[in-house]
Amino acid sequence: MDLSDIRKELKKALKKERYEHSEGVAYTSAALAMRYDPLLVDKALLAGLLHDCAKYLSVPTMLRYCEAAGYDAGEKKFQNSGLLHAKAGAYLAREKYKITDPEIISAILWHTTGRIDMTLLEKILFVSDFIEPNRTKIDADVQARIRQLAFTDIDRAVYEVADQTCNYLNKKTAAISPLTAEVCNYYKEVCGRKEEK
Ligand code: DGI
Ligand code: FE
Ligand code: FE
């Protein structure tokens, strides 16, 4: 599929605000790729556009897609659309949008939780999701700080985004998945090690 077909399909699959968020993540990811590795610009754009492509599927459909792709859906208490849409999205990006590049698929797969030792493209998508210009339901000062950080120290930005997510889930008293917590601790350590140097 070419980019304009992907956009056409995506518009049908998403609500207007979610589509605009996806465009915002796409150009933010492309800009971060220009900063860190211009060879990744095209992949970053596609990963950004498609990262939430499964957002409005039902949980049972998401679970079916996880099974079909061989992705672990996690414990029952974590089988919600917040956590499952990333996995279902990775499946859908391959099956419906015909993305074959494993780097793009894996960026979509890990965009919600992050993971230990992320690739650059995974970090770029993870951070862009949080800082893109249309995302406004976040404390403006925090977002401004992370927006700057993203272009100066991507690992630090990853840590800050992960930390914000954990704080948000704590406040909501939502169950924090082991991976979400692990990612936060791991990138805190990575940043600590950098400061010692
Ligand atoms: O899809 P987006 O809204 O753009 O953002 P996202 O994919 O980063 O996050 C989707 C939702 O997933 C968000 O409301 C927070 C939630 N989430 C992230 N980590 C966890 C989580 N929810 C639970 N219950 N546990 C987690 O560890
Ligand atoms: Fe998402
Ligand atoms: Fe998103």
Side-chain angles (χ1 to χ4, degrees):
M1 270 171 112
D2 65 20
L3 258 181
S4 71
D5 287 336
I6 288 178
R7 287 194 158 100
K8 216 184 287 166
E9 282 303 311
L10 209 53
K11 263 187 198 157
K12 283 192 244 166
L14 301 178
K15 292 184 187 163
K16 185 168 173 286
E17 312 82 72
R18 183 61 54 176
Y19 180 77
E20 282 165 5
H21 162 67
S22 303
E23 287 283 5
V25 176
Y27 57 68
T28 305
S29 292
L32 281 172
M34 287 178 204
R35 159 69 178 84
Y36 290 105
D37 181 359
L39 292 176
L40 287 176
V41 166
D42 293 346
K43 295 186 192 207
L45 189 85
L46 271 170
L49 261 185
L50 287 168
H51 79 287
D52 278 339
C53 67
K55 195 77 186 179
Y56 299 108
L57 302 178
S58 69
V59 168
T61 303
M62 292 187 198
L63 284 170
R64 261 200 297 120
Y65 287 177
C66 283
E67 199 181 337
Y71 299 140
D72 183 358
E75 277 180 69
K76 261 249 153 23
K77 66 175 170 184
F78 297 120
Q79 294 179 358
N80 53 56
S81 75
L83 284 165
L84 288 175
H85 79 282
K87 293 169 183 176
Y91 174 82
L92 210 56
R94 229 185 356 233
E95 296 302 317
K96 175 177 176 186
Y97 297 92
K98 307 299 176 196
I99 302 295
T100 53
D101 187 312
E103 279 192 281
I104 297 175
I105 300 298
S106 136
I108 296 173
L109 180 60
W110 301 111
H111 87 261
T112 300
T113 54
R115 67 165 164 165
I116 306 302
D117 218 1
M118 279 189 268
T119 65
L120 178 58
L121 191 66
E122 287 165 4
K123 291 177 192 173
I124 284 175
L125 182 59
F126 183 74
V127 171
S128 299
D129 199 10
F130 193 85
I131 65 170
E132 67 93 6
N134 304 308
R135 185 146 216 153
T136 50
K137 284 181 194 146
I138 297 167
D139 181 280
D141 292 337
V142 170
Q143 203 182 35
R145 190 163 51 76
I146 301 178
R147 280 175 175 160
Q148 273 198 329
L149 214 45
F151 287 86
T152 51
D153 184 344
I154 191 81
D155 284 327
R156 179 116 224 146
V158 166
Y159 164 62
E160 297 275 346
V161 171
D163 190 45
Q164 288 298 318
T165 303
C166 283
N167 287 342
Y168 165 79
L169 292 168
N170 268 327
K171 258 189 228 149
K172 247 188 29 163
T173 60
I176 300 182
S177 83
L179 187 54
T180 303
E182 247 182 84
V183 167
C184 195
N185 291 331
Y186 177 82
Y187 282 94
K188 188 177 189 171
E189 248 181 59
V190 169
C191 295
R193 279 205 300 274
K194 272 192 182 168
E195 266 167 24
E196 280 168 21
K197 279 186 192 157

